[in-house]
Amino acid sequence: MSETSADRMSAANRDNIDGLRLQASGKTLETIPERLGQLVPSDLDEGIDALRSKYQDAGYVWIKGLLDPEEVCQFRGWVFQNLSHTGLLKTGTNPVDGIAGDDDFDKSAADRRLMSIVRSARFEGFCAQPRLTHFMDAFIDGMSYLHKRKIMRFTRPQTEIATAAHYDLVYLRGGTSNLVTAWILVGDVSMEEGGLLYLKDSHALGAKMEAEFAEQNKSLSPEERISAFNQNMTSGGWISKDLPDMAKKFDTSWLVADYEAGDVVLHSPFFIHASTNNQSAQGRMRLSTDIRFQNVDDEIDARWSNHWSLKDML
């Protein structure tokens, strides 16, 4: 059997993991095999049935080259060009590289511009491009619906910004649980640059947690019941900020990867995931977007029928 690009990427990741010192919320992840492993990549030529089966079994499928890498990088350059007036980029560098500026940037101006970007026709076109929507129609086996609320994040290097461990359904309880999150890298993202990492086999754990929350929440009002911030939830809807402790507590491992432009990770709404600090030695910013698909005939969470806002509490 010939070696695929997925096989080559998997081998490269194995070689790189031992030297990692990934950090989040002041904690460093253990690199022993029982606590830190790698995502398994997949190729489009495996076929839709095989990819769907992998998703059901593992809670995710990481698809290499689903999008055109050149188009992804062009979009990355456009985003950072539109943020450059805030001081976010290092002077004289190519926006495609996303090299962070040395001085303080105008965060308020950057946030306002980011809100404009996610409302733009260019961003909508990127998220709803035919290559992706046609694939999602096949993957969902029906007409796919793309939620209007779409999130884009840039993460500057050498900061303490990281996403705590959570699963997505806590923010989408007002509709169907038959959701698929698409996490799209807008450019290459190495393990050191703070890409998403996933708690192995945790989609069953997330479903169990959600069933327990549903039982605890049943006496609340409908509005409170669907909220990720109700009295039975942890602050922010998180499960934990202590990623090493979670791996020990559930006797499993965090799965990481070196992602490339064109890659897309699809994950279950119950699959527990997080991010680490961006530790890029080159000063590269991580840029990504996470969007949600479902069958158009299933119930839709009305709260996600509005554009993403930084203060929308979702």
Side-chain angles (χ1 to χ4, degrees):
M1 182 182 296
S2 61
E3 184 182 49
T4 67
S5 61
D7 293 329
R8 290 191 292 274
M9 177 62 69
S10 181
N13 281 351
R14 283 195 300 271
D15 292 341
N16 293 336
I17 280 179
D18 288 343
L20 287 175
R21 292 296 180 266
L22 300 180
Q23 297 181 336
S25 299
K27 305 284 186 177
T28 301
L29 275 67
E30 294 182 89
T31 57
I32 58 175
E34 293 83 4
R35 297 291 174 253
L36 193 65
Q38 60 181 333
L39 288 177
V40 178
S42 298
D43 285 325
L44 277 172
D45 58 14
E46 295 176 32
I48 197 69
D49 290 337
L51 294 175
R52 195 185 294 121
S53 178
K54 283 186 172 183
Y55 174 88
Q56 295 296 334
D57 290 344
Y60 77 94
V61 60
W62 167 27
I63 307 170
K64 300 293 300 175
L66 175 56
L67 306 182
D68 183 317
E70 184 175 343
E71 291 181 6
V72 171
C73 289
Q74 287 175 355
F75 180 67
R76 176 182 172 89
W78 178 81
V79 171
F80 280 131
Q81 180 63 52
N82 276 279
L83 288 164
S84 60
H85 72 283
T86 68
L88 184 64
L89 298 182
K90 185 173 183 178
T91 303
T93 60
N94 190 330
V96 173
D97 296 329
I99 304 299
D102 297 325
D103 301 322
D104 289 339
F105 72 107
D106 189 336
K107 186 177 185 304
S108 294
D111 286 345
R112 289 194 300 273
R113 175 57 69 178
L114 189 62
M115 293 300 95
S116 296
I117 289 171
V118 299
R119 287 159 173 75
S120 69
R122 180 74 181 268
F123 179 63
E124 183 69 27
F126 178 79
C127 295
Q129 59 184 283
R131 286 179 71 142
L132 180 57
T133 55
H134 291 167
F135 177 85
M136 292 308 302
D137 285 348
F139 191 79
I140 290 174
D141 194 20
M143 288 188 290
S144 60
Y145 170 82
L146 173 60
H147 286 243
K148 186 173 183 178
R149 185 179 187 272
K150 307 175 190 69
I151 300 169
M152 173 174 280
R153 293 186 175 92
F154 62 83
T155 307
R156 300 173 72 236
Q158 312 311 323
T159 64
E160 298 300 312
I161 297 172
T163 301
H166 68 285
Y167 59 90
D168 289 346
L169 193 67
V170 297
Y171 307 103
L172 287 136
R173 288 171 170 154
T176 180
S177 62
N178 293 322
L179 298 156
V180 178
T181 292
W183 186 63
I184 304 174
L185 308 314
V186 186
D188 296 347
V189 178
S190 70
M191 296 183 223
E192 293 86 354
E193 290 171 356
L196 287 191
L197 65 164
Y198 293 88
L199 194 65
K200 184 178 179 182
D201 297 329
S202 64
H203 48 308
L205 175 61
K208 180 176 180 291
M209 288 180 174
E210 185 61 15
E212 292 171 352
F213 283 130
E215 179 64 23
Q216 294 170 11
N217 295 341
K218 66 182 182 181
S219 63
L220 302 180
S221 68
E223 184 178 52
E224 289 177 306
R225 194 180 307 133
I226 66 172
S227 174
F229 305 95
N230 69 44
Q231 65 191 36
N232 296 313
M233 302 296 296
T234 56
S235 175
W238 310 122
I239 298 171
S240 175
K241 292 184 177 182
D242 191 332
L243 305 189
D245 179 71
M246 280 197 71
K248 290 179 181 178
K249 179 178 179 180
F250 298 109
D251 192 22
T252 187
S253 58
W254 286 102
L255 304 178
V256 297
D258 280 327
Y259 303 104
E260 296 179 302
D263 293 356
V264 176
V265 182
L266 305 180
H267 66 251
S268 157
F270 296 107
F271 200 25
I272 297 170
H273 55 286
S275 73
T276 54
N277 301 346
N278 183 347
Q279 299 167 241
S280 170
Q282 293 76 38
R284 276 175 50 89
M285 285 181 281
R286 189 200 94 183
L287 183 66
S288 64
T289 183
D290 46 296
I291 58 181
R292 276 82 189 171
F293 290 91
Q294 66 175 78
N295 191 303
V296 71
D297 294 325
D298 290 338
E299 185 177 5
I300 296 167
D301 190 328
R303 300 172 301 167
W304 284 67
S305 296
N306 299 303
H307 285 297
W308 171 48
S309 171
L310 288 172
K311 297 181 180 180
D312 64 11
M313 296 296 288
L314 285 174

